[in-house]
Amino acid sequence: MTKELSPDMVRRTFDKNKLKCKSSQDVSPLEDIVGQDRALKALKFGLEIKEKGFNIFVAGFPGTGKMTAVKSFLDKLAEDQAVPPDWCYVNNFQEPYEPKVIKLKAGQGRVFHKDMTNFLNETKINLPKAFESEDFAIKRESTIQKIEAERNKIFSELNRKAEKEGLIVQSTPMGFIFVPVVSGRPMTEEEFIALNPEMKEDIQKRRDKLNSELRLVFRQLKELDTKTFEEIKELNKEVALFTMGHLLEDLNKKYSEYPEIISYLKEVQEDILENIPLFYKPNVPQAPVQAPWAEELPFRKYMINLFTDNFNLSGRPVVVELNPTYQNLFGRIEKEAQFGMLTTDFTMIRGGSIHKANGGYLVIPAEELVKNLFSYDGLKRALSSEEAIVEEAGERLGFITTKGLRPAPIPLNTKVVIVGNPMIYQSLFSLDPEFKELFKVKAEFDINMDFNDDNVKNYVSFICSLCSKEELLHLDSSAIAKVIEFGARLADDQEKLSTKFADIADVIREANFYAKQDKNNVIKDLHIVKAVEEKNYRSNLIQERMNEMVTRGFYLIDTEGEAVGQINGLAVLSMGDYAFGRPSRVTATVNIGRGGIIDIEREAKMGGNIHSKGVMILGGYLAENFAQDKPLNLTARLVFEQNYEGVDGDSASSTELYAILSALSEVPIKQYFAVTGSVNQKGEVQAIGGVNYKIEGFYEICKAKGLNGKQSVLIPRSNIQNLMLKEEIVEAVKEGKFHIYSVDNIKEGIEILTGIKAGEKGPNGKYPEDSIYGMVDKRLRTMAEKMENSPDEKEKKNNH
């Protein structure tokens, strides 16, 4: 049944007396106010289940507050959970290119780092003191003297044997030689040359006899040198161990529950004892002054790399990585320039977000993750292997072949939450087989929630929370009512509220600015209205210019009078941040033929597939209603006049059908009407999108050309629940300056547009002659007869 809508049907208002917002009001956490029970239930399930692969993808459109809600939910969940362990990298004294990793209780990593730093500093101070002490000097001198005595004894024995042969031992740069003795003194070289051959031969025989003794002495002296070195070394070790032994003993006792640390401390002790000259270099000339980093360089191998420090955490970590590049996510191995070369060591291993979140939760925006393919691939690898590895991306891909560090992997126990729009989820799910194995939980955020008392309370709670958190002026009850109505407007539904809290928050922030300009202590309804209007004004330049083209006659739109085969259709143009309704003139022409309904937009390749489908449906409707007793010998042409950017969607299919019925019946359509709605083959008018924009777009044109009290919009009845029109239009409807009608089917619509009954078939299967459908049927019958009696048809029959 045709019905004109009353003012209370075109916009849902809210009783401001039910609302209250005070700075002292208790506010709920964001996760309790966004109206996303389904998503939060899925999120909770994904976080509680421990099995592998149950990571979470939170899907939702921008502005629904999904990232804020997820972060808030995780923070609340994590604060009561156990803090994960610390991780430290230490030197691998056997394989320096493969640093070891040590796991400690939360907060103990920092303590261990401090203890080892103190140990190193004390060792660097105490060892030189010990080696410079009088006690060490006495022990060292005693050891050296003892060995020197043995050396002297060996030389004395050798000299005795040489003297017995008339020779003495002399030391030369070439080593030890035997020299003949003459008159108690060594023979000179000139004297030796002057000797006769027999004497030379005799001396040489005596030398050869003693050479075997000399070789034995050499071995003994070498053994003595080795013995000296070993005994001095053992003495040094004894002193060093005595000096740092109590420090190591304290550390061993303190970290007795960590076998890895006990083993590491033992390796540190052995390495220090083997490298005592690092700490004490006696009798070494003063070296030039070095940079501090150069002086500390040799001691780095005893330092601790506190890789993951959870000292300050009170629960599990929640890490949000907004820029998930490979290095930000998986860490890096830094390098520094030393003496013209780039070098690195285990102290320059730096963790990424996945290491900081180990034992907790890692949140990543999907849009940023898929931009970094190495990151996405690395994340899948880490989740599959349950290990976090620090390595260069180039090394992983085989692009880098230079020798570098290969740190030990760290066991990974992180729940990953990817936040993104549904299109990314569908693409990854369809194209990547590994994705569905690693992200088995989908938590989907809705863009709307039910308009009920509970969610209204949640809206109020959100408003109060925002005002308190950002130190904005609070809203009075009238302003809150306007915000709630704005939420319904964003949802395009009287029974829903939008969950696009980003847009709602922006309106409140802007209203706060205007309230402060007016020197008010609260935000009022007029400030909310102004914020919405000013936001639209900043973006509606294109709409104003198009409306101006209508008023100046460049763009032909009639808002009064009548015309045959002509009607005002409605479309929505979106400019990204702003959408508005645009009226378009739709015309139809008919003639005898077999072309059917020709969509000029499609023929010109300016029509989309959905629009073409809508046009084809019109043929089915005409055939069912008018071609049961005769052929449909019709060629009808439809076009959106002055349309240069293309058409898609089926929301104008009812409009086009009205134009065809008018052209066939030759009954004019009232041009002060604009129409929207799709139609099916049975003539039922179906719901469309953007109904508020469409009505407001036609109203703006009518207002610009002058309201005459007749202008109206015809919409599907099923779209009444979507009406949240501007208050200006509500007032115009209330004053009778503008009208909105709803219809269920084409017959109801054509009656409103023409003022003539559509007509129903009688018992004889005929429509009343004075009805629209009767006139259409008569016209189609006449066209069929003319077609049948045309010369071409008669010739075809004769030929047949």
Side-chain angles (χ1 to χ4, degrees):
M1 182 178 67
T2 305
K3 183 176 181 181
E4 181 177 358
L5 304 186
S6 61
D8 62 323
M9 298 177 69
V10 299
R11 179 182 176 91
R12 178 173 178 175
T13 57
F14 197 80
D15 184 3
K16 66 182 182 180
N17 296 319
K18 296 181 180 180
L19 304 172
K20 185 178 182 182
C21 180
K22 296 182 178 179
S23 58
S24 59
Q25 180 175 337
D26 292 332
V27 295
S28 304
L30 276 177
E31 69 269 18
D32 296 329
I33 69 171
V34 293
Q36 302 287 358
D37 295 340
R38 177 192 297 270
L40 295 179
K41 183 177 179 181
L43 183 62
K44 185 178 180 181
F45 164 75
L47 296 174
E48 289 179 351
I49 190 169
K50 305 302 180 185
E51 279 70 14
K52 180 180 177 181
F54 282 85
N55 297 289
I56 307 162
F57 192 105
V58 177
F61 290 97
T64 53
K66 56 186 180 296
M67 181 65 81
T68 303
V70 167
K71 179 69 165 62
S72 180
F73 187 90
L74 291 177
D75 286 340
K76 183 178 179 181
L77 180 67
E79 64 185 9
D80 298 325
Q81 297 177 330
V83 180
D86 293 343
W87 294 91
C88 297
Y89 272 110
V90 298
N91 186 36
N92 184 342
F93 292 96
Q94 283 72 41
E95 295 289 343
Y97 286 97
E98 299 179 6
K100 295 180 179 180
V101 68
I102 294 178
K103 174 182 175 183
L104 299 97
K105 293 179 180 177
Q108 287 297 302
R110 182 176 295 193
V111 177
F112 180 51
H113 179 273
K114 183 178 179 182
D115 286 343
M116 286 303 297
T117 301
N118 291 338
F119 164 76
L120 182 59
N121 290 336
E122 289 190 37
T123 302
K124 287 162 66 176
I125 293 172
N126 293 337
L127 277 186
K129 288 183 179 179
F131 289 122
E132 291 171 358
S133 66
E134 185 177 350
D135 184 53
F136 173 73
I138 293 172
K139 288 182 178 180
R140 188 174 186 279
E141 187 62 30
S142 175
T143 301
I144 293 174
Q145 287 179 357
K146 180 179 177 182
I147 295 175
E148 281 297 322
E150 292 186 32
R151 181 189 293 269
N152 292 335
K153 183 178 179 182
I154 292 172
F155 270 111
S156 297
E157 180 63 23
L158 180 62
N159 273 324
R160 187 184 64 77
K161 291 181 179 180
E163 289 175 357
K164 190 174 180 181
E165 297 294 335
L167 302 170
I168 62 172
V169 180
Q170 274 192 347
S171 177
T172 68
M174 302 298 294
F176 294 103
I177 62 173
F178 294 103
V179 179
V181 177
V182 178
S183 302
R185 62 174 178 79
M187 181 182 294
T188 64
E189 186 176 354
E190 291 78 6
E191 291 175 332
F192 180 78
I193 294 173
L195 294 176
N196 58 52
E198 290 79 7
M199 294 183 68
K200 288 181 181 179
E201 185 179 352
D202 179 60
I203 292 172
Q204 188 60 43
K205 287 180 180 179
R206 283 181 282 159
R207 281 178 175 172
D208 293 341
K209 181 179 179 182
L210 290 174
N211 276 339
S212 58
E213 293 289 339
L214 183 60
R215 285 192 291 272
L216 178 61
V217 167
F218 281 160
R219 285 197 298 271
Q220 290 175 334
L221 291 176
K222 189 173 182 180
E223 290 173 359
L224 278 179
D225 288 339
T226 303
K227 183 178 180 182
T228 302
F229 176 79
E230 293 296 332
E231 290 194 11
I232 295 297
K233 184 177 179 181
E234 287 300 317
L235 177 62
N236 291 346
K237 287 184 178 181
E238 181 183 338
V239 172
L241 189 58
F242 178 80
T243 303
M244 64 180 182
H246 65 287
L247 300 175
L248 289 170
E249 186 177 348
D250 292 342
L251 291 175
N252 279 302
K253 188 179 298 184
K254 185 173 183 177
Y255 297 101
S256 58
E257 61 180 303
Y258 300 105
E260 299 91 346
I261 294 182
I262 300 301
S263 175
Y264 170 70
L265 291 175
K266 184 178 180 181
E267 292 179 5
V268 168
Q269 173 183 305
E270 292 174 353
D271 193 81
I272 291 177
L273 294 179
E274 292 296 328
N275 294 278
I276 291 175
L278 279 178
F279 297 85
Y280 177 64
K281 299 177 181 178
N283 304 322
V284 176
Q286 185 68 32
V289 177
Q290 292 181 310
W293 64 265
E295 294 179 358
E296 294 296 325
L297 199 58
F299 301 101
R300 277 190 183 175
K301 59 182 177 179
Y302 306 116
M303 295 180 180
I304 302 297
N305 181 354
L306 183 52
F307 188 69
T308 304
D309 181 14
N310 295 320
F311 181 83
N312 294 319
L313 292 182
S314 56
R316 288 190 177 184
V318 178
V319 179
V320 179
E321 182 51 74
L322 299 178
N323 183 26
T325 62
Y326 186 85
Q327 289 190 341
N328 287 352
L329 205 54
F330 299 102
R332 62 193 181 278
I333 301 175
E334 295 179 343
K335 298 175 179 61
E336 63 183 7
Q338 294 179 4
F339 310 110
M341 298 182 296
L342 289 177
T343 63
T344 188
D345 57 51
F346 73 96
T347 63
M348 287 183 274
I349 303 172
R350 301 289 178 259
S353 300
I354 200 166
H355 303 100
K356 295 176 184 176
N358 198 6
Y361 310 102
L362 176 61
V363 183
I364 308 174
E367 290 81 357
E368 297 301 320
L369 181 63
V370 296
K371 289 178 185 177
N372 296 276
L373 297 181
F374 293 161
S375 298
Y376 178 60
D377 180 67
L379 180 64
K380 291 191 299 180
R381 193 187 304 269
L383 293 176
S384 297
S385 64
E386 297 182 309
E387 288 183 341
I389 303 174
V390 181
E391 62 180 336
E392 299 288 347
E395 184 178 344
R396 174 177 289 246
L397 296 173
F399 295 154
I400 298 176
T401 57
T402 56
K403 189 173 184 180
L405 296 182
R406 298 183 61 84
I410 295 176
L412 184 62
N413 180 28
T414 301
K415 187 71 72 170
V416 177
V417 181
I418 295 179
V419 181
N421 67 59
M423 292 180 61
I424 293 180
Y425 176 84
Q426 293 298 336
S427 298
L428 293 175
F429 190 88
S430 303
L431 302 175
D432 185 1
E434 293 177 303
F435 175 79
K436 63 186 72 174
E437 296 298 324
L438 297 173
F439 292 89
K440 297 181 179 179
V441 180
K442 180 185 181 184
E444 189 156 17
F445 274 58
D446 198 354
I447 58 173
N448 299 322
M449 61 185 181
D450 293 335
F451 195 157
N452 55 38
D453 291 343
D454 289 339
N455 285 333
V456 167
K457 290 179 182 178
N458 290 337
Y459 249 61
V460 176
S461 183
F462 167 75
I463 293 169
C464 297
S465 173
L466 178 71
C467 294
S468 298
K469 191 178 297 183
E470 300 190 10
E471 298 182 353
L472 307 176
L473 296 177
H474 282 266
L475 286 70
D476 67 10
S477 56
S478 64
I480 297 176
K482 291 300 179 187
V483 172
I484 292 174
E485 291 173 15
F486 178 68
R489 163 68 184 216
L490 284 179
D492 272 339
D493 197 322
Q494 295 181 0
E495 303 300 324
K496 298 288 183 179
L497 289 172
S498 174
T499 58
K500 294 182 178 179
F501 289 104
D503 294 339
I504 294 166
D506 286 342
V507 168
I508 295 173
R509 294 182 186 111
E510 188 168 340
N512 175 75
F513 172 78
Y514 298 131
K516 288 184 175 179
Q517 270 193 338
D518 294 343
K519 302 188 184 306
N520 289 113
N521 56 1
V522 293
I523 299 173
K524 299 181 179 180
D525 56 351
L526 59 94
H527 300 126
I528 298 295
V529 172
K530 184 177 181 180
V532 174
E533 290 178 347
E534 289 295 321
K535 183 177 185 298
N536 290 338
Y537 174 75
R538 293 192 294 269
S539 302
N540 71 350
L541 178 62
I542 300 298
Q543 181 184 18
E544 289 188 356
R545 291 293 177 263
M546 295 183 73
N547 291 348
E548 181 183 351
M549 293 177 70
V550 173
T551 58
R552 295 180 64 186
F554 295 114
Y555 195 77
L556 301 180
I557 297 290
D558 290 336
T559 58
E560 56 186 20
E562 298 180 343
V564 174
Q566 178 178 302
I567 191 170
N568 294 322
L570 295 171
V572 176
L573 292 184
S574 177
M575 311 305 294
D577 63 330
Y578 183 72
F580 61 92
R582 173 193 168 184
S584 296
R585 174 179 288 180
V586 179
T587 60
T589 60
V590 296
N591 61 273
I592 301 173
R594 290 197 175 92
I597 299 176
I598 299 174
D599 178 11
I600 293 179
E601 308 295 338
R602 181 181 64 184
E603 297 298 321
K605 297 182 179 179
M606 295 178 65
N609 294 332
I610 298 176
H611 177 259
S612 299
K613 175 188 174 184
V615 173
M616 293 176 184
I617 288 173
L618 306 184
Y621 178 79
L622 293 175
E624 181 173 1
N625 286 274
F626 304 109
Q628 300 302 311
D629 56 354
K630 57 186 174 297
L632 197 62
N633 293 320
L634 165 72
T635 298
R637 293 173 177 83
L638 290 168
V639 68
F640 278 74
E641 304 290 358
Q642 293 182 288
N643 169 53
Y644 309 109
E645 62 270 0
V647 176
D648 201 6
D650 63 351
S651 64
S653 56
S654 66
T655 310
E656 294 166 324
L657 183 52
Y658 293 136
I660 291 175
L661 293 175
S662 171
L664 287 170
S665 66
E666 297 181 322
V667 174
I669 289 175
K670 301 168 184 177
Q671 296 301 293
Y672 45 82
F673 269 91
V675 181
T676 185
S678 69
V679 66
N680 61 27
Q681 291 192 110
K682 299 299 182 181
E684 296 171 316
V685 178
Q686 304 167 142
I688 44 81
V691 65
N692 292 300
Y693 295 124
K694 293 176 179 179
I695 295 173
E696 290 168 358
F698 187 64
Y699 173 81
E700 292 294 334
I701 294 295
C702 295
K703 185 174 72 169
K705 299 186 75 171
L707 293 171
N708 57 23
K710 294 182 179 180
Q711 287 112 344
S712 309
V713 176
L714 197 63
I715 67 171
R717 188 180 305 280
S718 51
N719 277 123
I720 294 177
Q721 59 193 325
N722 299 114
L723 295 179
M724 284 298 297
L725 296 171
K726 294 178 179 178
E727 293 186 54
E728 179 185 355
I729 300 180
V730 177
E731 289 299 317
V733 171
K734 188 181 296 184
E735 296 172 4
K737 296 179 180 179
F738 194 73
H739 308 273
I740 301 172
Y741 294 86
S742 65
V743 295
D744 284 317
N745 54 61
I746 291 297
K747 290 184 177 181
E748 293 178 0
I750 198 66
E751 289 177 357
I752 295 175
L753 294 172
T754 62
I756 300 175
K757 289 289 184 180
E760 297 292 338
K761 282 186 178 181
N764 59 354
K766 304 293 185 181
Y767 292 102
E769 291 185 2
D770 58 348
S771 68
I772 295 292
Y773 278 40
M775 299 177 195
V776 171
D777 188 63
K778 182 179 178 180
R779 178 81 180 275
L780 289 172
R781 188 178 302 279
T782 300
M783 294 170 71
E785 290 173 354
K786 288 183 177 180
M787 186 71 178
E788 185 177 0
N789 295 323
S790 67
D792 291 341
E793 286 297 315
K794 289 181 178 180
E795 183 178 351
K796 286 181 181 178
K797 288 182 179 179
N798 293 332
N799 292 336
H800 182 68

